[in-house]
Structures are given as C-alpha cells and as structure tokens.
Amino acid sequence: KWLRKRESQLDSMLGATGAIYAIRKRLFPIHLPADVLVDDMYIPFEIIRRGYRAIFESDAFAFDVPSEKGDQELKRKARTLAGNYQIFAYFPNLFNPVTSSVAWQLFSHKLMRLVVPLFLMTLFFSNLFVLNHPFFAVFFAAQILFYGLALFEMKHAALGKKGLGYIPYTFCLLNYSAIVGLIHFLKGKQKA
C-alpha cells in the first residue's frame, strides 16, 4: 500500500486491488480479452495506456480472507505472477520511457521483482566458487541459515503454525511463485 501510494503520487499505481477498485464508466475498456489472468491489472494498464491515471485512495478499504496455507498462497501468487508476464505481453509500449509515464515503475516494481529468483540462484551458486574468502564463507553460511529456516518453517506452516522462519519462508515462497508463474505462462497452463 505504501508503494502504491507513492507510485500514485508520481503518476499512476500499477494495478488495483481486486477486492475493491473503481473506475469511470467511460474509461472501462470496451474489449477485455477472455484469457486475461489479472483484470485488476489489465484494466488500470489499459486506462494508463490511454493517457489517464490510476490513483491510490488510502481511505478505501475492503476485507479479504488471506491464504491460510503455503500451497494456497503459492497457487494464488503463481496465478497473479503469470498474469504479470501476460500483462507485459499485452502492454510492451508501457516499458518505453519516451512514451510511457510509468515505464520506470513498471521496470523497477513489476519486472525486477520477477527476476529476483534468478539473482538469488546466481548469488547462491556463484558463492560456492569463492568460499575460500572469509567474507564469502560467512555470507554463504548466512544463506544456508536463511534457506534452512525457510525449510523448517515450511514443515511448520503445513501444520498451520508460524515460527522463527516465517519471514524467510514467505520470502522464498513468493520468489518460488515467480518461477512457477513464469512456467505456467510459458506453457499456457494458467487459466483465467
């Protein structure tokens, strides 16, 4: 919400909260593709593409039921992130900083977040080649501890408990969801 508010202050936020958003009737897209996975992103992007803004209203609120288990959250996030890849395919011109007021936000907020898993894997495996340096040996041990806590928490999360590894587990689950979302998008497996 903090990020959406700041994006809105710059120009437009990138997507809306599916549980609650409002648009002007005349701005609703005449054609909404039947296969669109995240209409709460597609509709605001279509409006932004036409030169209007998508703004965040912090006084608006909705109640939603959060995912109780990791597999539910994985399914939800993988669908949403597959939808992000789809949105990139629908709106490639929004990445052009010359013609798009949201190009930087789209690149930094949406695209870079999706490549974090690749950076993390590269960091982990490249660290193996510099373990003889004390700094990198400690850094590698910290990574092992972080991912170990995530695995530990994964077993506890299956029982509906939150423990010491909740933050590492959630971080890893969200990054894994980005990989699953990409695979679903590339295979056309994710359905609207």
Side-chain angles (χ1 to χ4, degrees):
K1 289 180 179 160
W2 180 88
L3 186 55
R4 285 185 177 180
K5 186 172 186 173
R6 296 302 172 262
E7 286 176 339
S8 181
Q9 288 171 339
L10 283 174
D11 187 271
S12 292
M13 65 178 180
L14 302 179
T17 300
I20 183 172
Y21 69 103
I23 61 170
R24 292 181 179 138
K25 186 176 180 180
R26 66 182 173 84
L27 295 180
F28 190 83
I30 293 171
H31 172 71
L32 189 63
D35 68 338
V36 74
L37 298 173
V38 284
D39 62 290
D40 55 349
M41 230 175 121
Y42 181 91
I43 293 170
F45 272 49
E46 180 61 30
I47 291 168
I48 293 167
R49 185 192 62 75
R50 291 168 41 199
Y52 295 92
R53 292 178 61 219
I55 61 169
F56 180 77
E57 175 53 61
S58 56
D59 289 337
F61 62 93
F63 297 96
D64 201 359
V65 178
S67 302
E68 292 293 323
K69 295 189 177 175
D71 58 339
Q72 294 171 330
E73 185 64 8
L74 173 63
K75 185 177 178 181
R76 185 185 76 78
K77 287 303 290 182
R79 180 192 65 80
T80 300
L81 296 175
N84 283 8
Y85 293 109
Q86 183 187 55
I87 291 295
F88 299 159
Y90 274 126
F91 298 98
N93 291 344
L94 288 181
F95 279 100
N96 183 346
V98 175
T99 59
S100 170
S101 61
V102 296
W104 170 248
Q105 293 159 250
L106 186 58
F107 175 78
S108 65
H109 177 184
K110 295 295 183 183
L111 181 64
M112 290 306 291
R113 184 171 74 179
L114 295 174
V115 297
V116 166
L118 300 175
F119 291 150
L120 292 172
M121 288 187 281
T122 301
L123 184 64
F124 184 83
F125 289 112
S126 64
N127 205 168
L128 291 171
F129 298 101
V130 289
L131 286 176
N132 57 344
H133 190 283
F135 172 80
F136 293 112
V138 170
F139 187 68
F140 187 72
Q143 289 181 80
I144 295 293
L145 176 64
F146 184 85
Y147 294 125
L149 282 170
L151 287 170
F152 176 77
E153 187 68 25
M154 184 172 72
K155 296 190 185 304
H156 279 80
L159 303 172
K161 300 177 182 178
K162 290 182 184 176
L164 181 63
Y166 180 72
I167 291 174
Y169 170 68
T170 302
F171 178 82
C172 291
L173 180 69
L174 294 178
N175 281 290
Y176 178 66
S177 299
I179 296 168
V180 172
L182 176 61
I183 292 167
H184 286 186
F185 171 71
L186 293 174
K187 288 185 171 183
K189 186 177 177 181
Q190 191 68 55
K191 302 299 178 205

